[in-house]
Amino acid sequence: MALLSVSDINVYYGAIHAIKGVSFEVNEGEVVTLIGANGAGKSTTLKTISGLLHPKTGGVEFQEKSLLGVKPHKIVEMGLAHVPEGRRVFLQMSVEENLEMGAYTRPGSEVDPGLEKVYAQFPRLKERRKQTAGTLSGGEQQMLAMGRALMSSPRLLMLDEPSMGLAPILVDQIFDIIQSLHKAGTTILLVEQNAQMALSVADRGYVLETGKIVTSGTGAELLNDESVKKAYLGG
Ligand SMILES: Nc1ncnc2c1ncn2[C@@H]1O[C@H](COP(=O)(O)OP(=O)(O)O)[C@@H](O)[C@H]1O
Ligand SMILES: [Mg+2]
């Protein structure tokens, strides 16, 4: 049984039919990527899973329970964390306060062990723990947004374009972190426009085009797929 199962969802913004019958699964321990161009429907899909948008038809199941009609904060409590596009951290708060906010669904006794774990994963955040988040670089803010999501001890971590707007060296660092989270057993649903990087770290991937899944396969299969190469990997 899949950890997350999205079946035939249709999502609209008023008259705009943004997601047209999308189905996919994420199994425990996998990194699964959803790649696609700007406007393909990647963020809409993640927002629908986390309860911010509601599908007109279709189903979303997490740990065999339907998420339809469940409030977003309850979905976080169930173990599903969503790092939105554009990494929204609390700019006026310190790094450590941002991380503590991420643990709001957890008992108080888990906050300090959670911080230790996140600091072990992101030494850069530990060095800057007292600094306000607004003074961090873009890459560090992305690390903070990921660390904050991890503070909820999620069963599934959803990342919306973590590499967006970052310099190549920081993109490499973010993907190294994704790989080490994967090795540690974290299940990840990764949405990316950077298909090359995403498919390199993913067990499996799906290609989304104008609201529909057009291709799927293992990361390696998609990296070698002629149409994927042409459309997303620069030939
Ligand atoms: N709030 C909104 N109102 C109307 N249309 C939207 C809204 N958000 C997204 N869309 C449209 O839905 C489609 C999918 O958008 P989105 O999920 O943001 O794509 P992606 O994340 O892949 O770039 C696009 O055509 C976009 O213009
Ligand atoms: Mg998006």
Side-chain angles (χ1 to χ4, degrees):
M1 195 61 201
L3 178 64
L4 175 76
S5 161
V6 172
S7 20
D8 201 18
I9 56 167
N10 284 282
V11 185
Y12 292 76
Y13 292 104
I16 299 168
H17 193 178
I19 301 296
K20 303 165 185 155
V22 162
S23 302
F24 65 93
E25 290 185 339
V26 181
N27 298 302
E28 190 93 54
E30 277 188 318
V31 173
V32 172
T33 188
L34 216 53
I35 59 170
N38 194 20
K42 304 180 300 296
S43 297
T44 301
T45 302
L46 292 196
K47 287 177 189 168
T48 304
I49 295 166
S50 49
L52 301 167
L53 293 172
H54 306 289
K56 192 162 199 171
T57 59
V60 180
E61 286 194 351
F62 180 58
Q63 302 179 98
E64 300 182 39
K65 293 194 188 78
S66 173
L67 297 184
L68 298 188
V70 182
K71 295 268 184 285
H73 72 274
K74 285 283 174 201
I75 293 178
V76 176
E77 281 174 28
M78 289 167 74
L80 209 156
H82 180 180
V83 179
E85 197 175 294
R87 43 189 171 266
R88 284 180 233 118
V89 295
F90 301 105
L91 296 174
Q92 318 291 336
M93 289 168 48
S94 72
V95 165
E96 189 145 299
E97 287 164 344
N98 267 277
L99 292 174
E100 286 166 358
M101 293 285 286
Y104 78 98
T105 59
R106 312 299 302 173
S109 61
E110 287 182 21
V111 175
D112 285 344
L115 281 174
E116 285 317 306
K117 248 172 106 177
V118 168
Y119 286 146
Q121 197 75 57
F122 303 91
R124 190 96 65 109
L125 295 181
K126 187 169 188 178
E127 290 163 19
R128 289 163 175 71
R129 63 206 285 179
K130 300 294 174 205
Q131 211 168 308
T132 54
T135 65
L136 299 178
S137 71
E140 290 160 357
Q141 287 185 10
Q142 182 61 49
M143 291 176 197
L144 180 55
M146 290 167 68
R148 189 178 59 189
L150 289 168
M151 288 293 289
S152 69
S153 298
R155 294 284 301 277
L156 174 62
L157 179 65
M158 299 199 298
L159 303 173
D160 194 344
E161 300 212 37
S163 78
M164 189 167 52
L166 298 183
I169 185 159
L170 290 170
V171 172
D172 287 346
Q173 285 181 17
I174 294 293
F175 278 96
D176 283 348
I177 290 165
I178 292 171
Q179 221 148 15
S180 83
L181 291 171
H182 184 202
K183 279 204 189 107
T186 313
T187 309
I188 299 175
L189 175 56
L190 170 67
V191 153
E192 266 293 345
Q193 275 189 64
N194 189 334
Q196 177 74 49
M197 292 299 271
L199 293 172
S200 311
V201 298
D203 297 302
R204 294 188 302 110
Y206 296 86
V207 180
L208 196 61
E209 277 178 18
T210 56
K212 285 189 185 142
I213 287 172
V214 293
T215 317
S216 64
T218 66
E221 280 166 359
L222 292 176
L223 278 172
N224 289 306
D225 181 289
E226 286 307 322
S227 64
V228 171
K229 276 192 200 169
K230 249 202 187 115
Y232 301 100
L233 304 173

